[in-house]
Amino acid sequence: MRILILSFLVIFTVNDLFFHSVAAQTSSVVTPSNTSRQDRFKIIPNEPLTINAESLEKDVETGLYIMEGDVDIKYRDIRLRADRVELNEETGDMVAIGEVVYSEGSDVLRAERLEFNINSELGIVYKGDAVIQPDQYITGERIEKIGEKSFKIDRGSFTACSSFLPFWKFKSSQATIHKGDYFIGRNILLFIQGIPILFTPYLIFPIKEERQTGFLVPDIGSSRSKGFHLGNTFFWAINEGQDLSLTHNFYDIRGHELELDYRYIYNENTRGSFLGRVIRDRVEHSDRGDLRFSHRQTLPLDFETLANVNLVSDRTFLRDFDDRLDERTRQSLTSDVSFTKRFGQNNLVRILFDRLENVVPANVNPSSISQQTDYRLPEIRFSSFNQRLFDSPVFFQQYTVFSTIRRDVNDKTQLEFSRLDINPTISIPLKTLGRALTLTPKLNYRETLYTDDIITAANPDIKSNPVDRSQFGFSLDLNGPRFDKIFDRGEDKSITKIKHLIEPSLTYNFIQNTDQSNLPSFDSIDRISQQNQLTYALTNRLLARRKIKPKEEETGVSTTSATTSSTSDSESKPQFETKEFVSLQLSQSVNFTQPDFRLSNIIGTLQVFPGSSNRLQFTASYDVYVNAFVGSGVDLYTNYKDKFNLAVLWRRNLVVDRVANSVIDETQFLDLQAGVKLWNTLGIQYRTRFNIEDQDRVEDTLQLAYNGQCWNLISEFTQQDIATGTITSDRRFIVTLEFKHLGRIGSLRF
């Protein structure tokens, strides 16, 4: 807070006031001369100082200067007004009496009396109130400056509300403010709408924008699955690049939980975070927890290091303790550490250590899922992205991956082997028909070497039996020719032209059939199916050419004046942009390896982009053998001037038996989120995730937020499916009150 910065005013004004007789006039504008006086009384050269007063007197014996009658002193952006001002040249004491108003920039201080010493730069304000921008309002019967950045306030108040009757304010019998540091008050009484709400004999809170070390406001609440909840957090702002939060959570049903959250940014190339939780669960009678660690760093020789570690004590921990639906319904956790070195733009080497563990999501019985953990320790990948070979028309790319693999099921090793996969591809893009048609043949070879076959990989007691697999592949991509037609709507329209594009494509893929029955099976690399397939697609696009509205520049003059002064600019050619606003793609494949049902589903995708903040997409998959849409989806997103937003995600999928021409299974769900903002203060958000097929509400969340000038009130109701023990759903209601500059004041969870 900038308050009582009166030393600036005195230092700037005393020199002219004392040493220039012209200042005794009723109104004068003074410019400093070359008069040499005390060094501490200096004014910046060529900076005028203005003094207005009805009278100015000096007592030669005491060195006392007295100004009376509408005293008004101005210097740069500083101004002091009072009925009477007294300055003592010898002692440096200054007294301003009667309707004192001191302003510096946009900060304003009003008082009945002001006492200040220009030597010590300390002083006292009586019955004062200050407006410290952007929005801090302070009053006090007595405000004393006790240090360079410290002030003592007797019987004062503090608020960030600008209204005459503030929504909230703190009153104190005594308070100390350390500018840019802390507010420390005694006998604090919180008023809301003028009504006393809360009393505390002692209160300390930070009054600067940067993070502060201290205890956060406690979390209080309850839930059906965890019981009554009380959370306390200590936040440690270690330095600008590091902070740490230590939280203790008490759950009436579950027990005591400790949480540590550490974040760091050491430099622009090194950053990360660590989160750990541990709880002695009263329900499961065991110690449970999780650990999350992420790290990014650039090492010498331009090696990039990425770490992403996610570990849990047991597979149901996230389901039981995480409030976020995405985490509670998670089916697997991935941990990996990688080191990457790039060679130019098209080549890289990556060393990866990877762990994939399955977990039990909500609404799933743990006994129905085996505990499986996959490891790649390590995986070394050498990649060469598509690049021209010297100056020839031939392009080359390759992927070479060496992996040491292990799979554990129910804490027993089920699979263990090493694998080397080499996969080079060459291609020759050919342009024909005036570059309207592109024909790209590709030739691929794949060699995969294994240290073990399917039997020895599953049984470590048997001697290893190395095996390998070789496969040739060929593909041909045909794109074009493109057909287009332009519709001219006239230069007076906002959309002057519309372009219709028709883009056909044809792709043929062939992969040699190879016996893979003796190979261990870990991922998709180990089972590459034979292919003899033709895929055809047709894409329609509509592009609009529209005028770009010129941005109005703040020139400080009227639009008419600006236009008149530069007629050549106003007559310049308008600017245009061309963007796609509709696309429709249809595709289907013919698989010649299948004796029956060779035709794939017809896949259709329609995308509409009516504006930068609006998007609509329809997807459909039609099975020509059962004559039914086996897959459908709608994605809708719209945002209107940040006043209204809507996001819809709908999916429907069928599992069919083509032989019996029947539906085996159906899944259908809806994810909807909508929000509206009223009068720039009230916001309403609603989100639902609904399993339509089972008529089951997975999650519903309704949030109402009121954003006032100096306070926010946020209320949120959430209902979730948890399926934990005998509890099938959990409901919670959260109310959070935030005060400007102070942050969260309270949060209640029911």
Side-chain angles (χ1 to χ4, degrees):
M1 294 184 301
R2 295 186 294 171
I3 185 170
L4 287 178
I5 317 176
L6 302 175
S7 58
F8 293 164
L9 172 65
V10 175
I11 292 174
F12 288 155
T13 61
V14 163
N15 187 24
D16 283 326
L17 201 60
F18 288 172
F19 309 123
H20 293 282
S21 59
V22 69
Q25 301 175 7
T26 302
S27 178
S28 303
V29 177
V30 182
T31 301
S33 66
N34 295 325
T35 305
S36 176
R37 299 292 293 182
Q38 300 176 14
D39 292 338
R40 62 190 173 90
F41 297 131
K42 290 184 179 180
I43 295 183
I44 300 175
N46 301 320
E47 289 287 350
L49 178 145
T50 303
I51 301 173
N52 285 281
E54 294 180 0
S55 66
L56 173 61
E57 298 178 359
K58 177 183 179 182
D59 188 328
V60 179
E61 293 183 359
T62 61
L64 182 65
Y65 286 79
I66 301 174
M67 291 171 284
E68 290 186 305
D70 294 330
V71 180
D72 191 350
I73 304 173
K74 300 177 183 177
Y75 182 78
R76 306 181 77 183
D77 65 340
I78 300 172
R79 186 176 184 182
L80 174 65
R81 289 172 288 171
D83 293 338
R84 178 186 175 94
V85 176
E86 298 179 0
L87 286 168
N88 191 301
E89 181 181 10
E90 299 300 327
T91 64
D93 291 331
M94 181 185 73
V95 178
I97 305 170
E99 298 184 7
V100 180
V101 180
Y102 168 77
S103 61
E104 180 181 350
S106 56
D107 295 343
V108 180
L109 169 68
R110 294 179 173 84
E112 290 187 1
R113 180 184 176 90
L114 180 150
E115 298 176 0
F116 194 77
N117 186 277
I118 62 176
N119 297 320
S120 64
E121 299 184 4
L122 304 178
I124 302 174
V125 169
Y126 297 92
K127 292 186 178 180
D129 65 83
V131 179
I132 311 299
Q133 295 300 325
D135 42 28
Q136 299 181 44
Y137 304 88
I138 300 171
T139 66
E141 289 290 323
R142 185 177 183 273
I143 305 175
E144 180 181 1
K145 184 181 181 185
I146 57 178
E148 181 181 357
K149 296 183 178 181
S150 300
F151 306 92
K152 181 180 178 182
I153 303 173
D154 294 336
R155 297 181 300 279
S157 67
F158 171 82
T159 184
C161 304
S162 60
S163 59
F164 176 76
L165 180 62
F167 176 80
W168 66 268
K169 70 177 178 181
F170 288 108
K171 281 190 174 183
S172 62
S173 62
Q174 188 179 89
T176 302
I177 296 177
H178 301 283
K179 180 184 176 184
D181 201 355
Y182 284 94
F183 173 96
I184 303 172
R186 298 183 183 278
N187 299 319
I188 300 292
L189 189 58
L190 170 63
F191 287 79
I192 295 182
Q193 291 287 33
I195 302 174
I197 299 297
L198 179 68
F199 172 81
T200 176
Y202 182 81
L203 180 66
I204 178 171
F205 59 82
I207 52 174
K208 59 181 180 180
E209 294 183 358
E210 56 264 30
R211 301 161 302 154
Q212 292 290 302
T213 298
F215 284 95
L216 304 183
V217 176
D219 272 340
I220 303 174
S222 66
S223 67
R224 297 179 63 188
S225 60
K226 302 174 186 176
F228 172 77
H229 167 231
L230 175 63
N232 290 284
T233 299
F234 177 77
F235 178 80
W236 180 19
I238 303 173
N239 53 41
E240 291 185 358
Q242 300 179 74
D243 59 46
L244 183 145
S245 297
L246 183 62
T247 302
H248 170 261
N249 291 309
F250 170 73
Y251 299 104
D252 182 34
I253 296 177
R254 290 291 190 174
H256 295 270
E257 178 190 66
L258 290 178
E259 176 181 315
L260 186 140
D261 187 0
Y262 172 61
R263 303 179 302 173
Y264 58 90
I265 302 178
Y266 294 148
N267 52 55
E268 61 180 4
N269 297 320
T270 305
R271 63 179 59 204
S273 64
F274 173 89
L275 173 65
R277 293 182 292 179
V278 61
I279 184 172
R280 179 171 287 276
D281 191 356
R282 294 175 176 175
V283 175
E284 299 293 336
H285 305 290
S286 62
D287 293 330
R288 309 177 68 188
D290 68 340
L291 183 148
R292 306 290 179 93
F293 172 66
S294 65
H295 178 81
R296 176 188 293 268
Q297 182 177 3
T298 300
L299 299 176
L301 302 178
D302 293 330
F303 270 95
E304 296 180 9
T305 303
L306 289 176
N308 179 34
V309 179
N310 299 280
L311 302 175
V312 291
S313 59
D314 56 89
R315 297 189 300 154
T316 59
F317 178 82
L318 296 179
R319 184 196 69 178
D320 294 343
F321 286 95
D322 213 297
D323 293 332
R324 297 164 295 178
L325 182 63
D326 292 339
E327 292 297 316
R328 291 176 46 254
T329 56
R330 182 189 284 270
Q331 298 183 20
S332 62
L333 283 175
T334 301
S335 298
D336 56 72
V337 178
S338 65
F339 303 89
T340 304
K341 169 67 176 178
R342 296 184 180 273
F343 300 90
Q345 296 182 348
N346 298 312
N347 303 280
L348 67 81
V349 173
R350 176 171 294 161
I351 303 174
L352 174 70
F353 299 86
D354 175 80
R355 180 181 187 271
L356 178 65
E357 176 185 14
N358 70 339
V359 294
V360 179
N363 299 320
V364 175
N365 189 341
S367 61
S368 65
I369 302 178
S370 298
Q371 183 177 352
Q372 177 176 307
T373 308
D374 292 345
Y375 301 90
R376 287 180 290 178
L377 302 171
E379 177 177 280
I380 303 174
R381 174 184 292 266
F382 174 51
S383 304
S384 299
F385 304 115
N386 201 32
Q387 53 193 292
R388 188 185 296 272
L389 286 179
F390 307 106
D391 294 329
S392 71
V394 179
F395 284 77
F396 171 79
Q397 67 180 33
Q398 68 85 29
Y399 302 96
T400 300
V401 183
F402 172 78
S403 305
T404 299
I405 294 167
R406 193 180 88 215
R407 171 172 291 162
D408 293 345
V409 178
N410 295 329
D411 297 327
K412 294 183 179 180
T413 300
Q414 186 188 67
L415 202 64
E416 189 171 9
F417 64 95
S418 295
R419 179 183 67 198
L420 177 64
D421 185 43
I422 305 171
N423 186 17
T425 301
I426 59 173
S427 60
I428 306 176
L430 303 173
K431 303 284 186 178
T432 60
L433 298 179
R435 306 180 68 86
L437 183 67
T438 302
L439 181 66
T440 306
K442 297 179 182 179
L443 183 63
N444 172 267
Y445 173 74
R446 188 163 210 152
E447 181 73 23
T448 310
L449 307 175
Y450 296 83
T451 58
D452 294 86
D453 61 16
I454 191 171
I455 296 176
T456 61
N459 193 339
D461 297 330
I462 301 178
K463 183 180 179 180
S464 298
N465 180 31
V467 291
D468 68 280
R469 176 193 61 194
S470 299
Q471 278 184 310
F472 287 94
F474 172 77
S475 68
L476 185 65
D477 296 335
L478 180 65
N479 292 284
R482 294 196 315 175
F483 305 92
D484 64 79
K485 182 175 178 60
I486 297 177
F487 302 90
D488 197 336
R489 303 182 70 246
E491 295 297 323
D492 59 330
K493 306 290 186 180
S494 59
I495 298 179
T496 59
K497 295 180 180 180
I498 295 177
K499 186 176 185 178
H500 181 203
L501 283 173
I502 301 177
E503 301 171 338
S505 65
L506 189 66
T507 301
Y508 174 73
N509 283 299
F510 172 81
I511 295 178
Q512 177 188 10
N513 185 26
T514 303
D515 183 14
Q516 303 173 84
S517 59
N518 65 333
L519 303 181
S521 179
F522 180 78
D523 53 27
S524 60
I525 293 178
D526 302 318
R527 294 294 183 269
I528 299 177
S529 302
Q530 175 191 8
Q531 282 192 23
N532 186 10
Q533 180 174 287
L534 182 67
T535 302
Y536 42 89
L538 185 66
T539 304
N540 284 262
R541 305 181 192 274
L542 291 178
L543 292 83
R545 181 176 182 261
R546 67 181 73 216
K547 293 180 181 178
I548 301 176
K549 295 181 180 180
K551 296 182 179 179
E552 297 180 1
E553 299 181 356
E554 295 181 4
T555 59
V557 295
S558 65
T559 306
T560 305
S561 300
T563 304
T564 305
S565 62
S566 181
T567 56
S568 60
D569 292 342
S570 64
E571 295 174 359
S572 61
K573 294 182 179 180
Q575 300 296 315
F576 296 90
E577 66 176 2
T578 301
K579 288 187 176 181
E580 178 180 299
F581 68 96
V582 176
S583 71
L584 173 63
Q585 184 181 68
L586 298 174
S587 63
Q588 190 181 29
S589 299
V590 181
N591 190 344
F592 298 104
T593 63
Q594 296 291 334
D596 301 311
F597 309 117
R598 290 186 170 184
L599 294 178
S600 73
N601 298 337
I602 299 176
I603 308 296
T605 303
L606 173 65
Q607 292 180 305
V608 182
F609 308 96
S612 58
S613 300
N614 304 282
R615 176 173 57 86
L616 177 62
Q617 176 176 299
F618 296 95
T619 57
S621 177
Y622 185 79
D623 192 312
V624 296
Y625 295 102
V626 298
N627 295 320
F629 286 98
V630 295
S632 307
V634 175
D635 294 79
L636 170 64
Y637 175 79
T638 182
N639 187 313
Y640 178 72
K641 297 182 178 181
D642 292 329
K643 300 291 185 182
F644 173 77
N645 64 81
L646 175 66
V648 178
L649 177 67
W650 173 76
R651 294 289 185 272
R652 178 177 179 267
N653 294 289
L654 302 180
V655 179
V656 298
D657 184 345
R658 287 179 171 177
V659 176
N661 194 17
S662 62
V663 176
I664 300 175
D665 190 20
E666 178 179 354
T667 59
Q668 188 176 180
F669 71 89
L670 174 69
D671 190 330
L672 183 146
Q673 183 172 345
V676 62
K677 191 173 184 180
L678 306 173
W679 309 293
N680 293 323
T681 56
L682 181 63
I684 304 173
Q685 289 281 343
Y686 173 71
R687 181 174 186 178
T688 182
R689 296 185 180 185
F690 186 62
N691 186 332
I692 301 176
E693 186 64 23
D694 297 335
Q695 294 294 299
D696 181 26
R697 290 184 175 275
V698 180
E699 182 178 63
D700 286 287
T701 301
L702 177 64
Q703 183 187 88
L704 284 82
Y706 179 83
N707 301 309
Q709 179 267 325
C710 59
W711 64 285
N712 299 326
L713 181 64
I714 304 170
S715 60
E716 179 178 291
F717 173 77
T718 301
Q719 175 178 282
Q720 294 176 332
D721 250 343
I722 58 173
T724 301
T726 59
I727 301 175
T728 58
S729 65
D730 198 2
R731 300 180 181 92
R732 65 178 183 270
F733 182 67
I734 305 173
V735 180
T736 303
L737 179 63
E738 298 176 349
F739 286 171
K740 196 166 188 179
H741 300 308
L742 304 184
R744 190 179 63 183
I745 297 300
S747 181
L748 297 177
R749 300 168 182 255
F750 305 97

